[in-house]
């Protein structure tokens, strides 16, 4: 298990020109504690500038923390970063870390040498990995002729070349089409569930996070603001119910009439220009009251349902709350 406690990272940047440039401290990560278990997929989310990349850089030992502790299976990551590097790997989205002039096989051979994998083991591992990512027939082809999806699949093979126990995935499906992204997501699940790897993933695609993650950490302004499963995060954040109502008729007066009839319950009624829908937000389950209000007003209900909140809505709302913006 990876256990990071109270990690902090302060960058010192110089501002101005000439000899007397002023030093300024930027607290990219102010206080982060998190855990990554083997066999689990953990999401790290937050709006731009929240500190995700800096956190991943500390966990992958590319940056040393200004303060805090970091242990991977009892190995002190702050004291022994080289020992950590042997046991982890990182797969980033995009086309970095792959040599275009080299073939798929040569790329993997090169990275295997960097990780000191013995030649016999490496040969076998490259064959297995190329098969895993479906590139066995392209192993002697230069990468520059590969499609985006093929390059990304090669990235996965590269990220597994040292048989890491923990994997860090930074926007792994960025720029990929729906088919390749789906394939990649099933590889990621396979790595966690069948091969028992601990995985941390960042992504701006919330659907991906909802599908993959066992639990999620949400960051804002360098600190963790919430953690939990998708279900916990959405239901705890939205302790109110959202209904969507579509009637046979639609007008301002009708909405006012519904509003009037719902005065007895704690509900907020709002109309949006999405297919003439009326949105009702309430603390309690008010489906009975809603049906009755429509019936009393002589209105026919075309559609009425409770809207499940999405993770994306939860993140936006949590980030707003931190910045003390009024919600609702
Ligand atoms: N090398 C650096 N020197 C100074 N400040 C930095 C440096 N790297 C990051 N920062 C600052 O630290 C803060 C956190 O940046 P970080 O890249 O970790 O956020 P992020 O959550 O990954 O954002 P994004 O989603 O946009 O990639 C930002 O305010 C950023 O400007």
């Amino acid at each position: 298990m990876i256990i990071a406690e109270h990690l902090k990272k302060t960058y010192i940047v110089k501002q101005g020109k000439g000899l007397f440039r002023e030093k300024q401290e930027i607290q990219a990560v102010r206080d982060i504690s998190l855990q990554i278990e083997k066999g689990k997929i953990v999401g790290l989310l937050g709006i731009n500038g929240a500190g995700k990349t800096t956190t991943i850089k500390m966990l992958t030992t590319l940056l040393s923390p200004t303060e805090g502790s970091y242990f991977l299976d009892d190995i002190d990551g702050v004291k022994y970063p080289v020992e950590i590097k042997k046991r982890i790997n990182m797969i980033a989205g995009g086309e970095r870390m792959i040599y275009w002039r080299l073939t798929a096989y040569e790329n993997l051979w090169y990275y295997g040498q960097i990780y000191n994998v013995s030649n016999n083991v490496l040969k076998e591992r490259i064959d297995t990995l190329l098969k895993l990512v479906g590139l066995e027939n392209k192993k002697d082809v230069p990468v520059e002729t590969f499609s985006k999806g093929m390059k990304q699949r090669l990235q996965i093979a590269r990220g597994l070349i040292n048989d890491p126990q923990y994997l860090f995935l930074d926007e792994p499906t960025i720029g990929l089409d729906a088919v390749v992204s789906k394939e990649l997501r099933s590889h990621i699940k396979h790595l966690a569930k069948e091969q028992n790897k601990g995985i941390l993933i960042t992504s701006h695609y919330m659907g991906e996070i909802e599908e993959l993650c066992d639990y999620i950490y949400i960051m804002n302004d360098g600190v963790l603001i919430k953690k939990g499963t998708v279900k916990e995060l959405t239901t705890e954040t939205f302790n109110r119910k959202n209904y969507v109502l579509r009637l046979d008729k639609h007008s301002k007066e009708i909405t006012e009439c519904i509003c009037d009839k719902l005065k007895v319950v704690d509900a907020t009624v709002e109309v949006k220009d999405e297919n003439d829908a009326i949105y009702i937000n309430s603390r309690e389950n008010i489906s009975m009251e809603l049906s009755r209000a429509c019936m009393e007003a002589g209105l026919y209900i075309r559609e009425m349902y409770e809207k499940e909140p999405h993770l994306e809505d939860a993140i936006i709302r949590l980030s707003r709350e931190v910045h003390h913006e009024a919600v609702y």
Side-chain angles (χ1 to χ4, degrees):
M1 172 136 65
I2 286 182
I3 304 177
E5 283 187 335
H6 304 298
L7 288 183
K8 290 182 193 161
K9 183 71 196 175
T10 308
Y11 291 109
I12 310 284
V13 287
K14 287 184 181 164
Q15 283 205 322
K17 283 183 183 168
L19 279 176
F20 303 103
R21 288 190 295 169
E22 265 182 35
K23 282 185 183 169
Q24 196 199 347
E25 284 192 354
I26 296 180
Q27 291 190 311
V29 172
R30 294 190 287 140
D31 188 355
I32 295 288
S33 300
L34 54 78
Q35 299 188 349
I36 309 169
E37 280 173 68
K38 280 193 180 156
K40 298 275 186 219
I41 306 176
V42 180
L44 183 62
L45 304 182
I47 53 171
N48 290 132
K52 305 176 297 286
T53 307
T54 308
T55 303
I56 291 193
K57 282 186 179 166
M58 288 192 280
L59 297 175
T60 50
T61 71
L62 293 173
L63 274 179
S64 55
T66 313
E67 264 180 55
S69 67
Y70 169 37
F71 284 86
L72 181 152
D73 296 340
D74 296 330
I75 302 169
D76 187 333
V78 181
K79 277 194 191 145
Y80 308 106
V82 177
E83 286 307 309
I84 301 292
K85 279 198 178 82
K86 290 180 194 163
R87 294 163 172 83
I88 63 169
N89 212 325
M90 180 163 169
I91 300 170
E95 290 159 6
R96 289 169 283 166
M97 297 167 101
I98 293 279
Y99 293 91
W100 289 36
R101 296 273 167 90
L102 301 183
T103 65
Y105 194 94
E106 287 165 346
N107 264 287
L108 296 180
W109 185 264
Y110 169 76
Y111 280 104
Q113 298 293 322
I114 288 183
Y115 281 102
N116 257 333
V117 183
S118 72
N119 288 0
N120 287 345
V121 174
L122 186 56
K123 266 185 202 151
E124 217 172 281
R125 193 172 290 164
I126 292 177
D127 286 340
T128 313
L129 288 175
L130 286 172
K131 243 184 232 150
L132 175 79
V133 297
L135 289 175
E136 69 268 41
N137 297 326
K138 299 280 178 189
K139 67 179 199 173
D140 297 321
V141 177
V143 170
E144 59 193 349
T145 66
F146 281 15
S147 70
K148 251 189 190 170
M150 286 159 77
K151 284 182 197 139
Q152 193 59 12
R153 281 188 270 152
L154 185 60
Q155 288 273 23
I156 299 176
R158 185 203 51 72
L160 296 171
I161 199 70
N162 59 329
D163 192 22
Q165 292 154 24
Y166 297 92
L167 258 178
F168 294 84
L169 308 177
D170 193 6
E171 300 277 350
T173 59
I174 202 154
L176 298 183
D177 66 35
V179 178
V180 182
S181 306
K182 194 167 175 224
E183 255 177 47
L184 187 58
R185 287 198 297 275
S186 79
H187 275 321
I188 295 171
K189 278 187 231 170
H190 170 86
L191 291 171
K193 306 302 161 201
E194 311 299 325
Q195 298 198 6
N196 202 34
K197 306 212 181 288
I199 297 177
L200 181 125
I201 179 171
T202 72
S203 174
H204 283 107
Y205 302 128
M206 291 304 117
E208 182 162 289
I209 295 290
E210 288 184 56
E211 178 184 336
L212 290 176
C213 292
D214 295 295
Y215 58 103
I216 293 164
Y217 291 96
I218 301 182
M219 285 188 79
N220 190 288
D221 204 9
V223 292
L224 284 179
I225 53 170
K226 204 98 179 170
K227 63 178 178 185
T229 61
V230 173
K231 186 104 191 128
E232 283 164 359
L233 289 171
T234 47
T235 46
E236 274 173 30
T237 311
F238 298 94
N239 53 6
R240 293 174 71 98
K241 295 182 178 298
N242 286 297
Y243 296 92
V244 181
L245 180 66
R246 285 196 180 86
L247 303 166
D248 57 338
K249 289 180 237 152
H250 192 79
S251 70
K252 199 168 155 248
E253 289 71 34
I254 288 175
T255 314
E256 277 170 8
C257 169
I258 301 280
C259 247
D260 206 47
K261 290 190 184 298
L262 288 176
K263 267 189 184 143
V264 280
V265 291
D266 170 22
T268 329
V269 182
E270 159 190 14
V271 193
K272 283 192 193 162
D273 278 340
E274 290 165 24
N275 302 325
D276 293 341
I278 300 178
Y279 289 79
I280 296 124
N281 177 268
S282 157
R283 197 176 295 280
E284 309 294 331
N285 180 340
I286 55 159
S287 41
M288 286 291 285
E289 285 80 354
L290 264 176
S291 310
R292 194 176 309 126
C294 295
M295 226 164 61
E296 282 173 11
L299 296 161
Y300 174 71
I301 299 175
R302 273 172 39 214
E303 190 179 25
M304 184 173 95
Y305 61 89
E306 197 185 323
K307 197 172 156 229
E308 283 282 324
H310 288 288
L311 186 60
E312 187 159 23
D313 304 321
I315 292 172
I316 294 169
R317 177 160 176 169
L318 286 166
S319 305
R320 276 184 187 165
E321 277 178 356
V322 168
H323 290 112
H324 307 295
E325 273 188 39
V327 195
Y328 292 119

